[in-house]
Every structure is written in C-alpha cells, then in structure tokens.
C-alpha cells in the first residue's frame, strides 16, 4: 500500500512569512496527525483529526498555526507568520482509527526559518 | 500528560554487538510503538506492541504493561541500525501518542 505522502520535503523561509505543508494519509485511514519535531527531541503532537473533525489541538499555537482536513482525506498545516523557533521537521502520520491502531509516518517537511 | 523516559540516551556499539533499549512510562497505556528514525529523518515502524513479546529478524521487543516498561533488543547490530529509536505510548485515558526523548544509536564498523 502507498504510504503517507508529504510535501514539500524542504522549505526555507524568512521570519514573518507564511508557509503551508500538505499531507495525504494512507487510503482508508480515518485518523490524521500533525507532529512537530525540534532537533534533538521527540515528536510533539500539534493536532489530531478524526475524519474531518478535530480531536485534539491543545498544543497547537493557534495564534499562528492552523490546520484543516476539509474532506476527511488530505490535510494542510499552515504557519502565519513564522518565527525562528518554528524551525523543525513537521511530520504527518495516519492510523486506521484513533484507538488500537499503529501510527504510520510520512517523510516529513524540514522547515528552516531565517 | 504521561511521562515517557528512554534509556540510555546515547549508545555506541561495535558492529556485531547486542544491545537493549528501555522505555519506561508513568501511566497505564493502551498501546506502545517502537520507531527507528534513520539519519534522513524518516520514522519507521518497528513494533506495535501493547503487551507481550514480538520478534522481527534481529530485533525483538517486550512490553510488560503492568510494570510500565518496554524493551527493544537489537542483536548482531549493523551500521544500518544507526539512528534514533523512539518509543511512543497511548494512554488508557486518551488516544494521543506521547513520544519519549529517544535513544541515539551509533554502530561503528
């Protein structure tokens, strides 16, 4: 089966600019996650969707980050305006369901904010 | 939230050596996964192991949920095993996965 697809692979922007990341989960997976991984740390959950509804966005900095999964399939994560501390790898993952289902990760987008 | 601690934080092995990585967690969990993050940053599923023991080639994992720990065994290590190993747990009271801080493994020829 095809894995989780993410784009772009790399992105370099200046602070205060905006950026968007795209994710297409594994076909049939109802749950989609966006994680932020800062260098040297484990991934941190930003937002979790079940179909097109938000399950958990408690750690999403909502003043600058937004995410949507309008048709319950692919998803977009946006940062506007970006800060230096947003430099990280943004990982998308999906699972068949939100319980008792393993996570499958995409290759991630490495964001550098200068 | 749940605390997930991994040890050791760093490990250097000679090729062919064996190793054991540990993951301790502070609360009861529904699920636990082990991942390998390769030098290119890709997170690869190793085991989905809420309890019991599983083996896949040179790797095996054991989770003792009642004692809140999991172990990952790597035998006859190879240079391609280098990278960071993460465990992630899903709390029994919620469906968010929490990641540990990882074990960075370097296998030298």
């Amino acid at each position: 089966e095809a894995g989780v697809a993410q784009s772009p692979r790399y992105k370099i922007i200046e602070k205060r600019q905006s950026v968007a990341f795209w994710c297409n989960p594994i076909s049939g997976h109802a749950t989609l996650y966006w994680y932020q991984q800062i260098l040297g740390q484990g991934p941190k959950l930003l937002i979790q969707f079940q179909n097109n509804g938000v399950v958990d966005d408690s750690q999403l900095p909502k003043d600058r980050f937004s995410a949507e999964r309008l048709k319950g399939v692919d998803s977009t994560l946006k940062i506007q305006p970006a800060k230096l501390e947003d430099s990280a790898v943004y990982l998308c993952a999906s699972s068949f369901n939100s319980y008792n289902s393993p996570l499958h990760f995409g290759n991630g987008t490495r964001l550098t904010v200068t | 939230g749940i605390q997930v601690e991994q040890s050791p934080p760093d490990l250097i092995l000679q090729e062919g050596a064996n190793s054991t990585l540990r993951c301790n967690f502070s609360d009861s969990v529904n699920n636990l996964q082990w991942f390998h993050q390769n030098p290119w940053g890709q997170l690869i599923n190793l085991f989905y192991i809420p309890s019991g023991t599983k083996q896949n080639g040179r790797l095996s994992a054991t989770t003792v949920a009642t004692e809140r720990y999991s172990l990952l065994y790597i035998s006859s290590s190879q240079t391609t095993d280098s990278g960071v190993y993460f465990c992630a747990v899903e709390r029994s009271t919620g469906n968010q996965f929490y990641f540990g801080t990882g074990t960075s493994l370097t296998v030298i020829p």
Side-chain angles (χ1 to χ4, degrees):
Chain A
E1 63 180 6
V4 177
Q6 287 189 249
S7 67
R9 192 79 174 89
Y10 304 94
K11 191 73 177 179
I12 301 173
I13 62 172
E14 295 182 351
K15 60 183 179 183
R16 293 187 289 273
Q17 287 186 324
S18 62
V19 65
F21 313 125
W22 175 82
C23 172
N24 191 38
I26 292 173
S27 178
H29 280 196
T31 311
L32 185 147
Y33 311 78
W34 283 103
Y35 282 84
Q36 179 193 57
Q37 187 177 21
I38 293 173
L39 187 64
Q41 300 180 14
K44 182 187 83 171
L45 180 70
L46 292 176
I47 189 166
Q48 177 180 341
F49 293 94
Q50 179 72 14
N51 297 308
N52 60 353
V54 176
V55 173
D56 185 343
D57 63 355
S58 58
Q59 298 189 87
L60 186 73
K62 298 181 186 63
D63 57 333
R64 298 184 301 105
F65 286 64
S66 64
E68 59 184 15
R69 193 185 184 199
L70 292 176
K71 296 182 180 179
V73 181
D74 56 351
S75 175
T76 303
L77 176 69
K78 296 180 181 178
I79 308 175
Q80 182 178 7
K83 292 185 175 181
L84 296 177
E85 59 261 36
D86 298 332
S87 294
V89 176
Y90 291 85
L91 295 158
C92 179
S94 70
S95 62
F96 181 73
N97 212 329
S98 58
Y99 282 97
N100 299 324
S101 297
L103 298 179
H104 299 267
F105 280 88
N107 289 333
T109 297
R110 184 175 299 274
L111 174 68
T112 302
V113 182
T114 62
Chain B
I2 190 171
Q3 304 302 312
V4 184
E5 297 180 352
Q6 292 186 242
S7 60
D10 299 282
L11 187 58
I12 299 175
L13 295 176
Q14 199 78 38
E15 197 170 26
N18 303 327
S19 63
T20 301
L21 282 57
R22 187 176 181 103
C23 172
N24 291 333
F25 40 94
S26 61
D27 203 351
S28 57
V29 299
N30 278 336
N31 294 302
L32 186 145
Q33 272 186 267
W34 282 98
F35 295 91
H36 174 217
Q37 190 164 43
N38 62 25
W40 295 270
Q42 188 178 8
L43 274 166
I44 300 166
N45 290 319
L46 296 177
F47 294 101
Y48 177 70
I49 185 168
S51 63
T53 297
K54 291 186 177 179
Q55 181 155 7
N56 184 6
R58 297 180 296 103
L59 274 61
S60 64
T62 295
T63 296
V64 184
T66 53
E67 296 187 22
R68 299 183 183 172
Y69 73 89
S70 182
L71 302 173
L72 177 69
Y73 306 95
I74 304 174
S75 64
S76 304
S77 58
Q78 301 175 357
T79 56
T80 52
D81 295 331
S82 296
V84 182
Y85 290 80
F86 288 102
C87 70
V89 302
E90 180 187 9
R91 280 170 60 185
S92 298
T93 54
N95 55 13
Q96 179 185 137
F97 272 87
Y98 293 85
F99 279 77
T101 51
T103 291
S104 178
L105 173 65
T106 302
V107 181
I108 55 177

